[in-house]
């Protein structure tokens, strides 16, 4: 019986992925459950080598070319939510946002609730840096980075990209 080299399969697949696009582990659904441990080790090695960047649970992206390289072990201030309950919510009150954000982004919906991803997208679109800190420290860097990678070409927003270390 021929032995399967999982590390080779994983690295070959990643070689052909688009850069700066968010992926999850479901793209490797063809790897059987019995080879999952080897798969996790291969992904961990690729992360340590800087080929991929992990974002949250089972999500990653392949880093594109930048003017500068990230050091092997970068020192990061990783924003963690102050209130862990905020990680699970999908919508947030417009009244709460009005009291917390410096820019009035949701004036047309003063009493409703707004999807958190829409809040993050609006703040990134406006490049409202002080409000970006609000979402980072309330919803966490992982969620902000996920939304950023899903909704924007990161080269169009270099300031946000650099703040988030993407």
């Amino acid at each position: 019986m021929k032995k399967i080299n999982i590390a080779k399969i994983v690295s070959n697949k990643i070689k052909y992925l688009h850069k700066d696009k968010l992926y999850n582990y479901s793209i490797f659904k063809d790897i059987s459950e019995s080879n999952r441990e080897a798969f996790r080790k291969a992904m961990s090695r690729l992360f340590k080598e800087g080929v991929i960047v992990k974002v949250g649970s089972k999500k990653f992206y392949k880093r594109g070319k930048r003017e500068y390289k990230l050091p092997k072990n970068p020192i990061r201030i990783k924003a963690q939510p102050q209130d862990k309950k905020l990680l699970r919510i999908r919508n947030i009150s417009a009244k709460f946002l009005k009291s917390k954000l410096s820019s009035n982004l949701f004036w047309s919906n003063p009493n409703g609730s707004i999807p958190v991803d829409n809040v993050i997208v609006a703040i990134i679109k406006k490049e409202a840096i002080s409000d970006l800190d609000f979402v980072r420290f309330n919803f966490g860097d992982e969620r902000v980075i996920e939304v950023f990678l899903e909704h924007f070409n990161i080269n169009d927003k270099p300031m946000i990209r650099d703040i988030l270390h993407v």
Side-chain angles (χ1 to χ4, degrees):
M1 181 169 190
K2 186 178 178 187
K3 187 175 178 184
I4 301 170
N5 186 345
I6 298 299
K8 188 91 170 148
I9 292 169
V10 170
S11 64
N12 281 340
K13 189 160 207 158
I14 286 179
K15 186 187 329 181
Y16 295 104
L17 294 178
H18 294 284
K19 293 177 179 169
D20 299 321
K21 184 177 182 307
L22 189 66
Y23 294 97
N24 62 33
Y25 286 4
S26 67
I27 64 168
F28 298 102
K29 61 182 173 249
D30 54 336
I31 295 176
S32 69
E33 198 60 40
S34 61
N35 292 321
R36 280 294 171 188
E37 185 62 32
F39 166 73
R40 282 191 284 279
K41 285 181 183 177
M43 292 298 284
S44 183
R45 274 190 217 107
L46 291 170
F47 168 70
K48 287 177 184 170
E49 292 169 4
V51 175
I52 62 169
V53 178
K54 289 184 181 179
V55 181
S57 176
K58 299 181 180 181
K59 294 184 181 179
F60 70 95
Y61 68 96
K62 184 174 152 184
R63 196 165 197 276
K65 291 217 182 239
R66 305 283 190 277
E67 293 174 16
Y68 60 90
K69 282 196 166 213
L70 280 178
K72 283 278 187 193
N73 296 314
I75 297 171
R76 292 182 131 180
I77 298 171
K78 190 172 182 183
Q80 294 293 336
Q82 296 159 344
D83 182 358
K84 297 290 182 193
K85 290 181 214 158
L86 290 174
L87 284 174
R88 293 185 291 279
I89 66 168
R90 298 276 180 237
N91 295 310
I92 192 160
S93 156
K95 283 183 181 179
F96 175 76
L97 288 174
K98 189 170 184 164
S99 70
K100 298 294 183 184
L101 298 178
S102 63
S103 34
N104 190 6
L105 298 172
F106 303 101
W107 56 269
S108 65
N109 188 4
N111 297 318
S113 67
I114 297 140
V116 171
D117 288 359
N118 291 3
V119 173
I120 296 169
V121 166
I123 289 169
I124 292 171
K125 196 177 281 184
K126 293 264 186 192
E127 292 188 351
I129 302 305
S130 61
D131 295 336
L132 183 65
D133 284 342
F134 165 78
V135 293
R136 287 179 64 209
F137 286 100
N138 280 282
F139 307 111
D141 273 350
E142 289 178 355
R143 187 157 185 189
V144 174
I145 290 169
E146 281 181 35
V147 171
F148 181 54
L149 290 170
E150 286 175 6
H151 295 277
F152 296 93
N153 175 343
I154 68 167
N155 296 314
D156 293 344
K157 302 280 185 191
M159 184 168 52
I160 303 291
R161 178 192 69 207
D162 294 344
I163 289 169
L164 296 174
H165 299 286
V166 176

